[in-house]
Amino acid sequence: MIQRYRVLGQVIPEGERLQPLLAEAYARKMPVLCECRPGCELPLYIAHRNDRYVLARWPGSGARHATACDHYEAPDHLTGMGQVRGSAVIDDEKSGETSLKLGFPLSRGAARLAPAALTNDKPTVKSTGQKLTMRGLLHVLWDRAELTHWHPKMAGKRSWFVVRRALVEAATGCKTKQEALPHMLFVPETFRLEDKEDIRARRRAALERVYRSPDEMMVVIGEIKEIVPAHGAERIVLRHVGDMPFVMNPDMARRFHKRFAGELALWQAQDRARGSDGHLVIAGSFARRRQGTFDLVEVALMPVTGEWMPYETSDERYLIARAVTDKRRFVKGLRVNLDAEAPIASLVLKDTGEQATAIHIHDRDTEAGEPLEALLASEGVAHVFWKEGEALPQRVARPRREPAPRREQALA
């Protein structure tokens, strides 16, 4: 299916010819419609990022798009987004801005010279969905960046450069407590030896908030390179910023390894994961001590595959690997604030025809609980149980659309 948009009364296919019209529509504040479902009005909004105009679906409208459309999104009720949208994640359809309510602070009192908490994944926070945990924030940004989406043409093209750019763009348009999220977010840029001094200067500017005051905090999202002993404590070293380690005292290190034992085990097993390398992503709030070292406060870890697709178990890792190998098109479900017992769809296949297919990993010998039964009864997608060794649901060829009438395609 060729991706087409209705802009200023003209139907235009995806491509460079679209940019001038988007620039005009952006200046005139005119709407853009996705043409993936003829006769169905699906508005998109225009964002101006990195000297280009980018089209994004209106919040909550992703499931209304055709499954073959680039703007299709799995229904919120199949993932943790359903719990937080409208409460912890509030979208303004007029401005296109998103307000995020965070369940952790980004400043601390002068008396709190040491971290008071490691993670805020507490039942009181998770159960209500009123505020995002650190993991919830990471999942929301990963989802907004569409790093949960996969199609075969992406193979070999997702590097940290691509991931970082997507995350930074995803944070644009988000705010928390009336402050723009990008001002509080640090995502290390890809290190290049020849640009070392320029990169260091940009990093210093990006970290101005924590350099200004030891009471201010920011959120870092990066890839862990190593966790190493350091004179009785431990250091977390991130790729691309090896000279900016985060120090954990013995008590914090103990709690860190206890809380994230599962994620660390999956990371340690990645090199043996069917020949596919993976990564371990960290999100954490941090402050800078006067001595120049950095303290982590709230932390979340997220194992991802070589394609930067998040996973929770070795079964889910294999499911993603199978879908990638089979050249399938899919969206990965994320838990956000939901606890481990809450059922979600592991991924949603977009190439099974008019109706997408939600894939669930579940022991069919075990009776499904009420929450899972309710999820399986939901409409809008087909539901399939899957286990290692089984084939995925059959792919259905993408529909071909007739070219739009020439008079509609003509550029003004």
Side-chain angles (χ1 to χ4, degrees):
M1 184 183 79
I2 299 175
Q3 197 77 31
R4 298 182 186 278
Y5 303 102
R6 185 175 294 274
V7 191
L8 301 176
Q10 304 173 49
V11 176
I12 304 294
E14 180 71 72
E16 288 301 322
R17 291 200 306 156
L18 186 62
Q19 284 294 307
L21 287 180
L22 291 182
E24 183 180 349
Y26 183 81
R28 294 169 56 183
K29 298 183 178 180
M30 298 293 288
V32 176
L33 300 179
C34 182
E35 290 283 295
C36 68
R37 289 187 184 276
C40 183
E41 193 165 287
L42 295 168
L44 303 168
Y45 70 87
I46 310 171
H48 191 206
R49 302 169 184 166
N50 297 325
D51 298 323
R52 286 182 60 82
Y53 294 91
V54 180
L55 287 170
R57 62 183 172 272
W58 280 107
S61 69
R64 296 173 55 208
H65 288 259
T67 56
C69 177
D70 290 341
H71 300 289
Y72 175 83
E73 187 66 83
D76 282 350
H77 66 266
L78 294 180
T79 73
M81 286 303 300
Q83 185 197 37
V84 298
R85 196 181 301 279
S87 53
V89 179
I90 304 172
D91 299 301
D92 186 332
E93 293 193 1
K94 293 183 179 179
S95 67
E97 285 189 331
T98 299
S99 297
L100 305 177
K101 294 183 179 180
L102 306 182
F104 52 89
L106 285 175
S107 63
R108 61 185 185 182
R112 295 176 61 191
L113 298 180
L118 173 65
T119 175
N120 70 330
D121 282 350
K122 300 181 178 69
T124 54
V125 176
K126 291 186 295 182
S127 61
T128 64
Q130 296 299 311
K131 294 184 178 182
L132 292 173
T133 63
M134 183 60 71
R135 185 189 69 183
L137 174 63
L138 176 60
H139 282 191
V140 166
L141 288 178
W142 217 260
D143 179 76
R144 284 177 61 91
E146 296 192 351
L147 294 169
T148 53
H149 289 236
W150 184 261
H151 61 71
K153 291 182 180 180
M154 294 178 180
K157 297 179 182 178
R158 260 194 191 165
S159 61
W160 176 250
F161 176 86
V162 173
V163 170
R164 177 186 184 273
R165 181 180 62 191
L167 288 172
V168 171
E169 288 185 355
T172 303
C174 291
K175 62 181 181 180
T176 178
K177 294 183 179 178
Q178 302 306 312
E179 189 169 355
L181 183 62
H183 296 165
M184 307 177 185
L185 185 65
F186 174 61
V187 187
E189 65 176 286
T190 304
F191 180 77
R192 298 174 301 277
L193 184 60
E194 63 273 19
D195 297 331
K196 179 175 68 173
E197 294 306 322
D198 289 341
I199 291 173
R200 190 175 182 87
R202 288 193 293 270
R203 183 179 77 187
R204 174 63 177 78
L207 295 173
E208 177 61 28
R209 180 185 175 93
V210 293
Y211 271 86
R212 185 172 61 242
S213 169
D215 296 334
E216 297 294 336
M217 291 189 279
M218 295 180 67
V219 173
V220 62
I221 298 179
E223 179 191 356
I224 291 181
K225 179 181 179 181
E226 58 182 352
I227 304 172
V228 295
H231 307 291
E234 289 191 20
R235 292 185 301 130
I236 296 180
V237 182
L238 305 186
R239 293 194 185 278
H240 308 295
V241 282
D243 60 342
M244 184 185 166
F246 295 89
V247 180
M248 298 188 294
N249 63 35
D251 179 61
M252 184 173 183
R254 176 187 58 79
R255 289 183 287 130
F256 174 85
H257 287 282
K258 180 179 179 181
R259 167 63 183 84
F260 298 110
E263 290 86 348
L264 291 168
L266 288 170
W267 179 48
Q268 291 158 359
Q270 281 178 341
D271 288 343
R272 301 185 295 274
R274 306 181 189 281
S276 177
D277 291 335
H279 317 273
L280 183 61
V281 173
I282 184 172
S285 57
F286 67 96
R288 182 178 181 270
R289 288 175 175 251
R290 297 189 186 279
Q291 295 84 355
T293 59
F294 295 91
D295 288 331
L296 284 173
V297 184
E298 309 287 356
V299 182
L301 297 185
M302 183 176 74
V304 296
T305 67
E307 298 80 23
W308 298 90
M309 281 284 170
Y311 66 92
E312 296 182 345
T313 66
S314 58
D315 285 341
E316 199 167 67
R317 180 178 60 202
Y318 178 74
L319 170 61
I320 294 169
R322 179 65 183 271
V324 170
T325 299
D326 289 354
K327 298 183 178 180
R328 306 302 298 267
R329 302 175 73 248
F330 61 89
V331 182
K332 177 70 186 69
L334 294 179
R335 193 168 293 279
V336 193
N337 273 23
L338 293 175
D339 58 36
E341 287 71 37
I344 64 171
S346 288
L347 56 82
V348 176
L349 294 175
K350 296 175 55 178
D351 54 9
T352 54
E354 287 296 316
Q355 191 174 49
T357 301
I359 307 296
H360 303 269
I361 299 176
H362 180 72
D363 184 356
R364 278 162 286 187
D365 294 331
T366 304
E367 184 177 352
E370 185 175 334
L372 179 57
E373 293 286 3
L375 191 67
L376 297 175
S378 63
E379 299 180 352
V381 298
H383 297 272
V384 171
F385 284 125
W386 178 91
K387 67 179 180 181
E388 185 173 343
E390 293 183 343
L392 293 172
Q394 188 173 2
R395 181 192 295 108
V396 175
R398 299 176 71 181
R400 291 184 177 273
R401 289 183 56 194
E402 294 298 323
R406 185 175 298 277
R407 62 182 176 83
E408 288 189 300
Q409 294 187 45
L411 287 171

